[in-house]
Amino acid sequence: MSAADLLPRNATNLERALADVLSRQPAVPLRDQRDPYLAPAATLPWLAAHHGVRLWFDDWSDARKRDIIAHHAGVHPGYPGERLGEMVGTRLGLQRYLDYVDGSILHSLAYPAPFVVGDHSVGSRRVNQGPFSADYLVLVALTEHAQSLAVGASAVGDVALVPPSPEPVDRALAAARAAKSAATVVGCYFDTRRALNSGDVPSTADAPTTGQFKDRLELSA
């Protein structure tokens, strides 16, 4: 006996159709459909929307998609009980979002904060900085295009000086937007290398020369 058989004789075709559909057992149990690690891959975008996932790229692996959904749902095995959506507006929240795009925070400056000149603080905040704002120095790995900087026997012309793909930076910025609350202003900087200057102590006996660079690990106040 089906659910449709329990309907009265005057039931409409629509009522009979609904009874038939609603009485069927789903191919995947409802409990599994709501589990980020058991749900069918095709349903992950809808599950992400259900949990309010703020950062999403269609070309991510299913494993990464499941992890960020689980992180928003508070069931990520690596961060038990931690709900990523509740960390929006915090430094740790930004780092968590950057983890999903292979980025990391090297240094940060949050304001209001003392305006530093040398070793001394002046005033109560950085010049021209409003309240609830922060700057971050972010490290991402850039991927060069095929045949970039090709010279000599290699092809020259349009492919000779192809810059690295900006996609890692674009994704890090998307992560920063996802991690930002409406009440904060966030700035991200990606220039993690700078040219040597006369004030730098060279690592060898030779003096710094034009074109040499060193890692930049901090933002300037």
Side-chain angles (χ1 to χ4, degrees), residues 21 23 27 35 147 181 185 194:
V21 170
S23 63
D35 187 319
Q147 297 185 3
S181 69
V185 177
R194 68 167 179 82

Side-chain angles (χ1 to χ4, degrees), residues 40-204:
T43 66
L44 292 180
W46 287 272
L47 191 59
H50 173 73
H51 287 290
V53 173
R54 300 165 63 95
L55 182 68
W56 188 266
F57 292 100
D58 290 334
D59 62 355
W60 272 349
S61 66
D62 284 348
R64 179 158 294 191
K65 292 176 181 178
R66 294 179 189 278
D67 278 341
I68 198 168
I69 295 171
H71 208 162
H72 279 80
V75 295
H76 192 297
Y79 309 102
E82 185 176 282
R83 293 180 180 270
L84 191 53
E86 297 176 355
M87 303 173 69
V88 168
T90 68
R91 186 184 191 279
L92 181 58
L94 174 58
Q95 182 55 70
R96 292 284 193 263
Y97 277 103
L98 285 172
D99 287 342
Y100 288 101
V101 293
D102 304 314
S104 59
I105 299 173
L106 295 181
H107 187 238
S108 64
L109 292 173
Y111 311 98
F115 177 38
V116 179
V117 178
D119 295 327
H120 304 282
S121 298
V122 180
S124 60
R125 67 179 62 172
R126 185 180 181 185
V127 174
N128 296 326
Q129 279 288 340
F132 310 114
S133 60
D135 291 336
Y136 295 94
L137 182 62
V138 177
L139 177 66
V140 295
L142 297 180
T143 303
E144 292 185 353
H145 290 288
Q147 297 185 3
S148 63
L149 300 179
V151 181
S154 300
V156 295
D158 291 340
V159 297
L161 296 174
V162 181
S165 170
E167 186 172 356
V169 171
D170 292 341
R171 295 198 172 198
L173 289 173
R177 287 191 292 269
K180 188 185 83 67
S181 69
T184 58
V185 177
V186 173
C188 290
Y189 299 85
F190 300 91
D191 46 340
T192 57
R193 303 267 295 170
R194 68 167 179 82
L196 289 176
N197 57 47
S198 59
D200 292 318
V201 178
S203 57
T204 64

